[in-house]
Amino acid sequence: MDKVFKVDICGYQASLPIIPLPSGINIAFFNLHGDQELTEHCGKELAKRISGCDVLITAESKGLQLTHVVARELGMKNYAVARKSKKLYMQDGIWISYGASITTGKVQEFHISKRDIDLIKGKKVCIVDDVISTGESLEGLENLVEKAGGIVTQKAFVLAEGDSKNRKDVTFLATIPIL
């Protein structure tokens, strides 16, 4: 992977590897896993732009450490995590299915536990994640929050990919193209 896309994320210079997807398009791959400095920077910058919510929710897995930083910065003790498969501790939880992923092409699922349902129910919720692209996973998270009895009041991402940069209903720090 010698080709990279350079992006300025609120003063942090990131070099994202360009990778091909099975669909034939190329993306600038943004990965927070294992990058403490980038995760801290992005989480702190997103926290500055989030207001008026009672709880955060994210999707596993790249949103986890990002949302942890945002929650800490906002003084929130807990946040909800939508898992992509049902885990043993989720026997009393809920789930939804949603559209095909841009990276896998497969229909996806989100699951949350009773603990997270209780955290969300009747609350103003901010969805936090790393990248918005097609909006499929965002729609899935919105449907999950609604099913749990919460109200989505804000949607915050590090990067807006492709046409998602034109959305007026999301907050993001920087944009990247679909290549």
Side-chain angles (χ1 to χ4, degrees):
M1 284 191 241
D2 54 346
K3 293 183 180 180
V4 296
F5 179 82
K6 295 184 184 285
V7 61
D8 181 312
I9 305 171
C10 299
Y12 189 101
Q13 304 303 312
S15 295
L16 310 180
I18 298 172
I19 61 169
L21 298 181
S23 65
I25 64 170
N26 293 318
I27 62 168
F29 184 65
F30 182 65
N31 186 9
L32 291 171
H33 289 314
D35 194 330
Q36 182 270 336
E37 184 179 75
L38 178 59
T39 301
E40 284 288 324
H41 174 78
C42 293
K44 288 176 180 178
E45 289 296 326
L46 273 183
K48 293 175 187 175
R49 292 158 176 82
I50 293 172
S51 63
C53 64
D54 303 312
V55 66
L56 308 174
I57 188 170
T58 192
E60 71 173 350
S61 70
K62 290 186 288 184
L64 289 171
Q65 61 268 33
L66 176 67
T67 305
H68 183 91
V69 172
V70 173
R72 183 192 68 222
E73 293 297 307
L74 295 176
M76 295 180 175
K77 243 177 113 173
N78 297 293
Y79 55 91
V81 178
R83 303 291 303 262
K84 294 180 181 177
S85 61
K86 185 177 180 180
K87 305 302 178 194
L88 188 58
Y89 66 90
M90 301 177 130
Q91 300 308 311
D92 55 357
I94 60 173
W95 66 277
I96 57 98
S97 60
Y98 65 97
S101 160
I102 189 172
T103 53
T104 66
K106 297 178 182 175
V107 172
Q108 306 288 305
E109 292 182 348
F110 280 138
H111 300 257
I112 57 172
S113 66
K114 172 100 169 61
R115 173 204 170 272
D116 286 344
I117 295 167
D118 293 342
L119 188 63
I120 291 169
K121 189 173 185 174
K123 303 280 180 48
K124 294 181 279 184
V125 180
C126 177
I127 295 171
V128 176
D129 212 348
D130 61 338
V131 179
I132 180 169
S133 185
T134 65
E136 294 279 348
S137 60
L138 172 58
E139 184 177 348
L141 286 169
E142 288 175 303
N143 291 338
L144 188 65
V145 168
E146 182 179 316
K147 188 172 182 177
I151 303 148
V152 175
T153 58
Q154 196 168 0
K155 305 158 214 174
F157 299 86
V158 175
L159 299 174
E161 183 177 56
D163 290 340
S164 64
K165 70 180 181 230
N166 300 321
R167 292 181 65 142
K168 302 297 183 213
D169 64 328
V170 299
T171 299
F172 53 87
L173 303 179
T175 63
I176 55 174
I178 294 177
L179 306 164

PDB file of all heavy atoms in Angstrom, residues 3 24 45 55 62 73 106 113 121 130 132 153 155 167 177:
ATOM      1  N   LYS A   3       0.296   3.936  -2.014  1.00  0.00           N
ATOM      2  CA  LYS A   3      -0.476   5.128  -2.337  1.00  0.00           C
ATOM      3  C   LYS A   3      -1.264   5.552  -1.109  1.00  0.00           C
ATOM      4  O   LYS A   3      -1.879   4.734  -0.433  1.00  0.00           O
ATOM      5  CB  LYS A   3      -1.431   4.854  -3.491  1.00  0.00           C
ATOM      6  CG  LYS A   3      -0.730   4.600  -4.807  1.00  0.00           C
ATOM      7  CD  LYS A   3      -1.739   4.415  -5.910  1.00  0.00           C
ATOM      8  CE  LYS A   3      -1.031   4.166  -7.225  1.00  0.00           C
ATOM      9  NZ  LYS A   3      -1.981   3.981  -8.311  1.00  0.00           N
ATOM     10  N   GLY A  24     -15.040  -2.466  -6.753  1.00  0.00           N
ATOM     11  CA  GLY A  24     -14.285  -1.823  -7.816  1.00  0.00           C
ATOM     12  C   GLY A  24     -13.889  -0.388  -7.513  1.00  0.00           C
ATOM     13  O   GLY A  24     -13.123   0.199  -8.264  1.00  0.00           O
ATOM     14  N   GLU A  45     -11.725  16.826  19.372  1.00  0.00           N
ATOM     15  CA  GLU A  45     -12.305  17.758  18.399  1.00  0.00           C
ATOM     16  C   GLU A  45     -13.801  17.521  18.225  1.00  0.00           C
ATOM     17  O   GLU A  45     -14.582  18.471  18.133  1.00  0.00           O
ATOM     18  CB  GLU A  45     -11.578  17.669  17.056  1.00  0.00           C
ATOM     19  CG  GLU A  45     -10.180  18.234  17.074  1.00  0.00           C
ATOM     20  CD  GLU A  45     -10.136  19.741  17.358  1.00  0.00           C
ATOM     21  OE1 GLU A  45     -11.057  20.478  16.930  1.00  0.00           O
ATOM     22  OE2 GLU A  45      -9.179  20.187  18.013  1.00  0.00           O
ATOM     23  N   VAL A  55     -26.755  11.027  26.012  1.00  0.00           N
ATOM     24  CA  VAL A  55     -25.998   9.784  25.890  1.00  0.00           C
ATOM     25  C   VAL A  55     -25.447   9.665  24.471  1.00  0.00           C
ATOM     26  O   VAL A  55     -26.000  10.228  23.526  1.00  0.00           O
ATOM     27  CB  VAL A  55     -26.894   8.563  26.260  1.00  0.00           C
ATOM     28  CG1 VAL A  55     -28.016   8.373  25.262  1.00  0.00           C
ATOM     29  CG2 VAL A  55     -26.079   7.289  26.404  1.00  0.00           C
ATOM     30  N   LYS A  62     -14.552   0.404  15.171  1.00  0.00           N
ATOM     31  CA  LYS A  62     -13.683   1.583  15.144  1.00  0.00           C
ATOM     32  C   LYS A  62     -14.249   2.773  15.902  1.00  0.00           C
ATOM     33  O   LYS A  62     -13.505   3.655  16.299  1.00  0.00           O
ATOM     34  CB  LYS A  62     -13.334   1.963  13.709  1.00  0.00           C
ATOM     35  CG  LYS A  62     -12.396   0.961  13.063  1.00  0.00           C
ATOM     36  CD  LYS A  62     -11.931   1.409  11.710  1.00  0.00           C
ATOM     37  CE  LYS A  62     -13.050   1.298  10.724  1.00  0.00           C
ATOM     38  NZ  LYS A  62     -12.700   1.625   9.369  1.00  0.00           N
ATOM     39  N   GLU A  73     -14.493  13.388  27.476  1.00  0.00           N
ATOM     40  CA  GLU A  73     -14.399  14.839  27.313  1.00  0.00           C
ATOM     41  C   GLU A  73     -15.699  15.544  27.695  1.00  0.00           C
ATOM     42  O   GLU A  73     -15.678  16.676  28.151  1.00  0.00           O
ATOM     43  CB  GLU A  73     -14.009  15.193  25.871  1.00  0.00           C
ATOM     44  CG  GLU A  73     -12.610  14.761  25.491  1.00  0.00           C
ATOM     45  CD  GLU A  73     -11.541  15.462  26.320  1.00  0.00           C
ATOM     46  OE1 GLU A  73     -11.548  16.705  26.394  1.00  0.00           O
ATOM     47  OE2 GLU A  73     -10.684  14.756  26.909  1.00  0.00           O
ATOM     48  N   LYS A 106     -22.640  -6.903   2.255  1.00  0.00           N
ATOM     49  CA  LYS A 106     -23.607  -7.783   2.913  1.00  0.00           C
ATOM     50  C   LYS A 106     -24.558  -6.989   3.809  1.00  0.00           C
ATOM     51  O   LYS A 106     -24.183  -5.966   4.360  1.00  0.00           O
ATOM     52  CB  LYS A 106     -22.874  -8.813   3.774  1.00  0.00           C
ATOM     53  CG  LYS A 106     -21.984  -9.737   2.980  1.00  0.00           C
ATOM     54  CD  LYS A 106     -21.253 -10.683   3.898  1.00  0.00           C
ATOM     55  CE  LYS A 106     -20.316 -11.572   3.094  1.00  0.00           C
ATOM     56  NZ  LYS A 106     -19.509 -12.419   3.945  1.00  0.00           N
ATOM     57  N   SER A 113     -27.750  -4.407  24.183  1.00  0.00           N
ATOM     58  CA  SER A 113     -28.179  -5.117  25.388  1.00  0.00           C
ATOM     59  C   SER A 113     -29.267  -4.331  26.122  1.00  0.00           C
ATOM     60  O   SER A 113     -29.508  -3.153  25.837  1.00  0.00           O
ATOM     61  CB  SER A 113     -26.985  -5.301  26.327  1.00  0.00           C
ATOM     62  OG  SER A 113     -26.554  -4.035  26.793  1.00  0.00           O
ATOM     63  N   LYS A 121     -33.323   4.839  26.462  1.00  0.00           N
ATOM     64  CA  LYS A 121     -34.771   5.077  26.508  1.00  0.00           C
ATOM     65  C   LYS A 121     -35.118   6.452  27.083  1.00  0.00           C
ATOM     66  O   LYS A 121     -34.701   6.805  28.183  1.00  0.00           O
ATOM     67  CB  LYS A 121     -35.464   3.995  27.322  1.00  0.00           C
ATOM     68  CG  LYS A 121     -36.968   4.058  27.230  1.00  0.00           C
ATOM     69  CD  LYS A 121     -37.611   2.872  27.901  1.00  0.00           C
ATOM     70  CE  LYS A 121     -39.110   2.923  27.676  1.00  0.00           C
ATOM     71  NZ  LYS A 121     -39.752   1.726  28.192  1.00  0.00           N
ATOM     72  N   ASP A 130     -16.668   6.849  13.151  1.00  0.00           N
ATOM     73  CA  ASP A 130     -15.459   7.316  12.482  1.00  0.00           C
ATOM     74  C   ASP A 130     -15.725   7.944  11.122  1.00  0.00           C
ATOM     75  O   ASP A 130     -15.260   9.035  10.835  1.00  0.00           O
ATOM     76  CB  ASP A 130     -14.420   6.193  12.384  1.00  0.00           C
ATOM     77  CG  ASP A 130     -14.901   5.000  11.580  1.00  0.00           C
ATOM     78  OD1 ASP A 130     -16.125   4.793  11.429  1.00  0.00           O
ATOM     79  OD2 ASP A 130     -14.042   4.242  11.091  1.00  0.00           O
ATOM     80  N   ILE A 132     -18.709   8.569   7.834  1.00  0.00           N
ATOM     81  CA  ILE A 132     -20.012   8.415   7.181  1.00  0.00           C
ATOM     82  C   ILE A 132     -19.749   8.382   5.685  1.00  0.00           C
ATOM     83  O   ILE A 132     -19.017   9.217   5.157  1.00  0.00           O
ATOM     84  CB  ILE A 132     -21.019   9.521   7.547  1.00  0.00           C
ATOM     85  CG1 ILE A 132     -22.338   9.270   6.810  1.00  0.00           C
ATOM     86  CG2 ILE A 132     -20.467  10.915   7.299  1.00  0.00           C
ATOM     87  CD1 ILE A 132     -23.507  10.098   7.238  1.00  0.00           C
ATOM     88  N   THR A 153     -30.524  13.286  18.383  1.00  0.00           N
ATOM     89  CA  THR A 153     -30.477  14.744  18.276  1.00  0.00           C
ATOM     90  C   THR A 153     -29.234  15.244  17.550  1.00  0.00           C
ATOM     91  O   THR A 153     -29.200  16.385  17.115  1.00  0.00           O
ATOM     92  CB  THR A 153     -30.544  15.408  19.668  1.00  0.00           C
ATOM     93  OG1 THR A 153     -29.448  14.932  20.458  1.00  0.00           O
ATOM     94  CG2 THR A 153     -31.866  15.100  20.350  1.00  0.00           C
ATOM     95  N   LYS A 155     -25.542  13.757  15.101  1.00  0.00           N
ATOM     96  CA  LYS A 155     -24.774  12.690  14.465  1.00  0.00           C
ATOM     97  C   LYS A 155     -23.398  13.258  14.158  1.00  0.00           C
ATOM     98  O   LYS A 155     -23.286  14.219  13.407  1.00  0.00           O
ATOM     99  CB  LYS A 155     -25.462  12.239  13.180  1.00  0.00           C
ATOM    100  CG  LYS A 155     -26.907  11.827  13.390  1.00  0.00           C
ATOM    101  CD  LYS A 155     -27.665  11.916  12.079  1.00  0.00           C
ATOM    102  CE  LYS A 155     -29.085  12.342  12.359  1.00  0.00           C
ATOM    103  NZ  LYS A 155     -29.833  12.573  11.137  1.00  0.00           N
ATOM    104  N   ARG A 167     -24.332  16.400   3.278  1.00  0.00           N
ATOM    105  CA  ARG A 167     -25.434  16.222   4.230  1.00  0.00           C
ATOM    106  C   ARG A 167     -25.444  17.361   5.236  1.00  0.00           C
ATOM    107  O   ARG A 167     -24.399  17.739   5.767  1.00  0.00           O
ATOM    108  CB  ARG A 167     -25.301  14.882   4.947  1.00  0.00           C
ATOM    109  CG  ARG A 167     -25.529  13.692   4.032  1.00  0.00           C
ATOM    110  CD  ARG A 167     -25.416  12.409   4.780  1.00  0.00           C
ATOM    111  NE  ARG A 167     -26.489  12.316   5.767  1.00  0.00           N
ATOM    112  CZ  ARG A 167     -27.133  11.196   6.055  1.00  0.00           C
ATOM    113  NH1 ARG A 167     -26.829  10.077   5.442  1.00  0.00           N
ATOM    114  NH2 ARG A 167     -28.075  11.190   6.975  1.00  0.00           N
ATOM    115  N   PRO A 177     -12.515  11.794  -0.366  1.00  0.00           N
ATOM    116  CA  PRO A 177     -13.248  11.397  -1.571  1.00  0.00           C
ATOM    117  C   PRO A 177     -13.351   9.872  -1.678  1.00  0.00           C
ATOM    118  O   PRO A 177     -12.625   9.139  -1.006  1.00  0.00           O
ATOM    119  CB  PRO A 177     -12.361  11.930  -2.694  1.00  0.00           C
ATOM    120  CG  PRO A 177     -10.966  11.803  -2.139  1.00  0.00           C
ATOM    121  CD  PRO A 177     -11.120  12.125  -0.662  1.00  0.00           C
TER     122      PRO A 177
END
